[in-house]
Amino acid sequence: MGERILILGANGQIGSELAAALRLKFGVDNIITSDIREPRERAENEIFELVNVLDKDRVKQLFEQYQPTQVYLLAAMLSATGEQYPQKAWDLNMNGLLNVLDLAVDLGIKKVFWPSSIAVFGPHSPKVDTPQYCVMDPNSIYGISKLAGERLCEYYHKKYNLDVRSIRYPGVISWKTEPGGGTTDYAVHIYFEALRNGAYTSFLSEQTELPMLYMQDAVRGTLELMDAPADKLSIRSSYNLAGMSFTPKDISEEIQKILPSFEISYTENDPRQAIADSWPKRINDDYARKDWGWKPSFDLETMTKDMIENLKSTI
Ligand code: SER
């Protein structure tokens, strides 16, 4: 039997592009997208269902109806919004995951994908070349929920032999669907504003360096991890994954190479600064490279060219 894939939280920044890639790979009839709201637009013949991942009965019903071989759980509240609604963030990020893990075991789902984040690291984690294993003391509710989620994934793998796979995404940059409520979102907004207004005010300071990844690499990496033979995967919590690292100053200089009149300014005292300051600057992803052959293909320069080219024709 071929694969049938259910994506929970398919309308978001990563979900919308993963869904498109999965439809290309497995055929539109084999991909079921779902979210708490109707999508802004649907792909041709897209199978879409409304679901709140906190409604376990409804999730169970979808599992039974479609009998997916793989489930991607992408519904989550990100770091900045999480600080505004900590209880809700914890509830959604933890109980959504627990519902899916439990049902996946009960109903025999072959593979589960769940995204973690660089937010699992904290002020005492090494900032540069951050290793897979080190002190992890996240201080955002988002990071705390992701770290707990990683422990659950590993636990379900060990205890129930569930084939659950995960990536600690850095900030993901894309032009099709804008992210919402994250600390790394500035690196997406800056391109949109450069083309719309020729200027951008960054909520992170000019020297704030963070790990980032272009969407094409994020999607390819995710599919590569999901395709990798199970016995090659030495990590069942979540893999560090690196693409590039840059500061608001670096990205603005790169944009100025293409749009010379672009201007950047900075705000002070944004609450997202403290979150960014607690995260790594550069991540070590040796395990992903060794276990399943990960290699990013975009750097800041090639990503900037691609972003601007694509946004020019869509904005
Ligand atoms: N991009 C996410 C955020 O900023 C990190 O996982 O919240």
Side-chain angles (χ1 to χ4, degrees), residues 154-293:
E154 190 181 293
Y155 183 81
Y156 272 70
H157 175 69
K158 268 216 179 104
K159 191 164 177 92
Y160 303 111
N161 206 22
L162 181 66
D163 190 349
V164 47
R165 304 175 179 206
S166 177
I167 284 172
R168 288 174 182 156
Y169 289 125
V172 177
I173 293 156
S174 65
W175 55 270
K176 283 188 190 151
T177 309
E178 287 193 61
T183 299
T184 55
D185 295 7
Y186 93 86
V188 176
H189 298 156
I190 194 169
Y191 288 110
F192 280 80
E193 293 306 307
L195 285 163
R196 280 185 192 131
N197 305 321
Y200 179 68
T201 303
S202 169
F203 56 78
L204 296 183
S205 69
E206 68 177 337
Q207 296 305 342
T208 309
E209 183 177 359
L210 287 170
M212 302 278 184
L213 184 66
Y214 197 34
M215 181 63 88
Q216 269 166 261
D217 278 341
V219 167
R220 181 176 52 80
T222 307
L223 298 185
E224 284 171 4
L225 170 64
M226 290 303 271
D227 278 346
D231 61 4
K232 291 271 188 251
L233 305 181
S234 62
I235 289 170
R236 293 300 186 149
S237 52
S238 189
Y239 278 94
N240 276 12
L241 198 84
M244 60 192 94
S245 282
F246 56 78
T247 64
K249 186 167 188 281
D250 297 331
I251 190 173
S252 64
E253 285 172 2
E254 207 54 53
I255 291 172
Q256 281 159 349
K257 286 187 194 163
I258 303 174
L259 305 169
S261 60
F262 172 70
E263 282 176 19
I264 185 157
S265 54
Y266 300 90
T267 47
E268 275 171 32
N269 302 323
D270 189 285
R272 288 166 285 193
Q273 184 68 48
I275 301 176
D277 289 341
S278 75
W279 288 355
K281 295 178 193 294
R282 269 170 265 156
I283 291 270
N284 177 297
D285 62 2
D286 285 352
Y287 280 89
R289 288 173 185 261
K290 186 168 63 67
D291 287 3
W292 44 278

Side-chain angles (χ1 to χ4, degrees), residues 5-307:
I5 299 174
L6 172 65
I7 307 169
L8 299 158
N11 291 356
Q13 186 202 15
I14 297 177
S16 57
E17 299 218 23
L18 254 178
L22 288 167
R23 277 193 290 267
L24 270 183
K25 189 169 159 132
F26 295 105
V28 67
D29 296 342
N30 293 314
I31 308 302
I32 300 98
T33 53
S34 69
D35 208 294
I36 197 162
R37 269 173 234 103
E38 288 282 338
R40 263 184 300 144
E41 50 188 308
R42 288 194 193 190
E44 207 181 322
N45 298 324
E46 177 170 350
I47 308 168
F48 177 84
E49 296 280 355
L50 282 173
V51 62
N52 178 343
V53 293
L54 294 176
D55 182 349
K56 194 171 179 183
D57 290 337
R58 172 72 177 136
V59 179
K60 183 174 181 206
Q61 190 200 340
L62 290 181
F63 281 21
E64 285 172 343
Q65 181 181 347
Y66 291 103
Q67 306 202 337
T69 56
Q70 299 184 23
V71 172
Y72 285 67
L73 169 58
L74 304 174
M77 195 182 283
L78 293 191
S79 58
T81 316
E83 291 312 297
Q84 286 163 19
Y85 311 102
Q87 286 84 3
K88 271 195 186 158
W90 176 260
D91 188 30
L92 175 63
N93 296 356
M94 285 331 307
N95 291 321
L97 175 60
L98 270 172
N99 286 346
V100 168
L101 293 176
D102 275 340
L103 289 169
V105 170
D106 287 350
L107 302 177
I109 307 288
K110 251 176 40 194
K111 279 185 210 172
V112 174
F113 178 81
W114 173 79
S116 186
S117 160
I118 53 163
V120 293
F121 297 106
H124 293 85
S125 311
K127 292 261 181 263
V128 174
D129 205 29
T130 311
Q132 178 72 34
Y133 298 106
C134 60
V135 170
M136 297 169 90
D137 56 348
N139 57 14
S140 67
I141 193 71
Y142 174 70
I144 296 169
S145 71
K146 287 293 182 188
L147 183 54
E150 289 189 5
R151 304 318 306 148
L152 282 174
C153 288
E154 190 181 293
Y155 183 81
Y156 272 70
H157 175 69
K158 268 216 179 104
K159 191 164 177 92
Y160 303 111
N161 206 22
L162 181 66
D163 190 349
V164 47
R165 304 175 179 206
S166 177
I167 284 172
R168 288 174 182 156
Y169 289 125
V172 177
I173 293 156
S174 65
W175 55 270
K176 283 188 190 151
T177 309
E178 287 193 61
T183 299
T184 55
D185 295 7
Y186 93 86
V188 176
H189 298 156
I190 194 169
Y191 288 110
F192 280 80
E193 293 306 307
L195 285 163
R196 280 185 192 131
N197 305 321
Y200 179 68
T201 303
S202 169
F203 56 78
L204 296 183
S205 69
E206 68 177 337
Q207 296 305 342
T208 309
E209 183 177 359
L210 287 170
M212 302 278 184
L213 184 66
Y214 197 34
M215 181 63 88
Q216 269 166 261
D217 278 341
V219 167
R220 181 176 52 80
T222 307
L223 298 185
E224 284 171 4
L225 170 64
M226 290 303 271
D227 278 346
D231 61 4
K232 291 271 188 251
L233 305 181
S234 62
I235 289 170
R236 293 300 186 149
S237 52
S238 189
Y239 278 94
N240 276 12
L241 198 84
M244 60 192 94
S245 282
F246 56 78
T247 64
K249 186 167 188 281
D250 297 331
I251 190 173
S252 64
E253 285 172 2
E254 207 54 53
I255 291 172
Q256 281 159 349
K257 286 187 194 163
I258 303 174
L259 305 169
S261 60
F262 172 70
E263 282 176 19
I264 185 157
S265 54
Y266 300 90
T267 47
E268 275 171 32
N269 302 323
D270 189 285
R272 288 166 285 193
Q273 184 68 48
I275 301 176
D277 289 341
S278 75
W279 288 355
K281 295 178 193 294
R282 269 170 265 156
I283 291 270
N284 177 297
D285 62 2
D286 285 352
Y287 280 89
R289 288 173 185 261
K290 186 168 63 67
D291 287 3
W292 44 278
W294 164 246
K295 200 170 179 291
S297 58
F298 282 87
D299 59 17
L300 178 58
E301 187 183 348
T302 49
M303 175 181 77
T304 299
K305 282 193 184 131
D306 200 70
M307 280 292 287

